[in-house]
Amino acid sequence: TALYGPDEMELYLVDFAEGFGVYATESLPHARLVIARSDRESGLGVLRSLMAELSRREALLRTTSGRGRGLAELRRSTSEVVPRVVLLVDGSQELLCLDDEVGCAAADLLEQLIRKGGSLGIHVVLSSQSLEGLTALRHMILACLPVRVVLFAHRGDARRTRTVVTDVEHHLNARENGI
């Protein structure tokens, strides 16, 4: 929020936990949506809304006759203000904990937003206490996340997040460690 004004960046904050973290952001002029103690259906609604925005941006980009790609081209070729969008989902394990209709739909939408959204200015930040029991979370979602910050983790979580660091379990077994 220090680099971009409210017309340049919008924040969508969905907290499935106690909501303490998002209360401080409610007064930010960038906060387009703040939901504390969200239920799964509301979280899914936010994802659907952002997917509709992604589709709108893709359609706008098609009108540029292939002259460019991404957010910069959208801004140059249209008269619309096209802000960056940052979706922060805290407690994402609550949204993806069941392999039911809501969990599967959320996983599909997250995958599309993560895969296609970045180049069009829509970015996703997921936070979770644990990756265990996330039956709707597909490995593809983790593969699409180019940056992962992992703090203290149990052995199963450490294995699921492993990419380049081969001895990740050793690094994440102490509370003061992180990767």
Side-chain angles (χ1 to χ4, degrees), residues 1-2 5 31 36 39 55 64 74 83 89 121 132 137 146 160 168:
T1 61
D39 59 73
S55 297
T64 66
L74 279 177
V89 182
E132 292 294 321
L137 182 68
R160 288 186 81 177
V168 71

Side-chain angles (χ1 to χ4, degrees), residues 112-174:
Q112 291 179 62
L113 286 169
I114 292 167
R115 219 173 5 90
K116 301 187 317 186
S119 66
L120 293 172
I122 299 176
H123 308 281
V124 177
V125 178
L126 300 174
S127 82
S128 178
Q129 296 295 320
S130 174
L131 297 176
E132 292 294 321
L134 299 180
T135 55
L137 182 68
R138 295 178 180 83
H139 294 289
M140 187 62 181
I141 291 175
L142 287 177
C144 291
L145 293 171
V147 177
R148 300 177 205 159
V149 177
V150 182
L151 301 175
F152 172 76
H154 296 285
R155 187 174 302 269
D157 287 342
R159 283 190 186 120
R160 288 186 81 177
T161 58
R162 179 177 22 211
T163 54
V164 176
V165 180
T166 57
D167 60 344
V168 71
E169 291 175 47
H170 168 73
H171 290 286
L172 298 176
N173 284 332

Side-chain angles (χ1 to χ4, degrees), residues 4-173:
Y4 302 103
D7 59 329
E8 291 286 316
M9 182 174 73
E10 298 176 344
L11 298 174
Y12 290 75
L13 306 159
V14 180
D15 191 342
F16 288 96
E18 292 301 314
F20 300 121
V22 298
Y23 289 131
T25 61
E26 285 181 318
S27 62
L28 282 176
H30 300 76
R32 178 79 178 231
L33 174 75
V34 177
I35 302 176
R37 294 188 205 109
S38 179
D39 59 73
R40 295 173 72 228
E41 289 76 14
S42 296
L44 182 59
V46 172
L47 294 177
R48 286 182 174 142
S49 172
L50 290 177
M51 193 62 213
E53 175 60 17
L54 178 63
S55 297
R56 186 186 77 80
R57 290 178 182 207
E58 288 173 326
L60 275 174
L61 189 61
R62 282 192 294 274
T63 66
T64 66
S65 303
R67 292 188 306 266
R69 296 178 52 131
L71 186 62
E73 179 61 27
L74 279 177
R75 288 177 169 174
R76 272 195 305 275
S77 64
T78 67
S79 59
E80 287 191 44
V81 175
V82 184
R84 295 180 184 280
V85 172
V86 178
L87 167 65
L88 170 62
V89 182
D90 189 14
S92 59
Q93 72 275 6
E94 297 298 323
L95 181 62
L96 300 166
C97 65
L98 299 174
D99 197 11
D100 61 359
E101 186 176 330
V102 172
C104 290
D108 289 342
L109 291 169
L110 276 171
E111 183 180 332
Q112 291 179 62
L113 286 169
I114 292 167
R115 219 173 5 90
K116 301 187 317 186
S119 66
L120 293 172
I122 299 176
H123 308 281
V124 177
V125 178
L126 300 174
S127 82
S128 178
Q129 296 295 320
S130 174
L131 297 176
E132 292 294 321
L134 299 180
T135 55
L137 182 68
R138 295 178 180 83
H139 294 289
M140 187 62 181
I141 291 175
L142 287 177
C144 291
L145 293 171
V147 177
R148 300 177 205 159
V149 177
V150 182
L151 301 175
F152 172 76
H154 296 285
R155 187 174 302 269
D157 287 342
R159 283 190 186 120
R160 288 186 81 177
T161 58
R162 179 177 22 211
T163 54
V164 176
V165 180
T166 57
D167 60 344
V168 71
E169 291 175 47
H170 168 73
H171 290 286
L172 298 176
N173 284 332

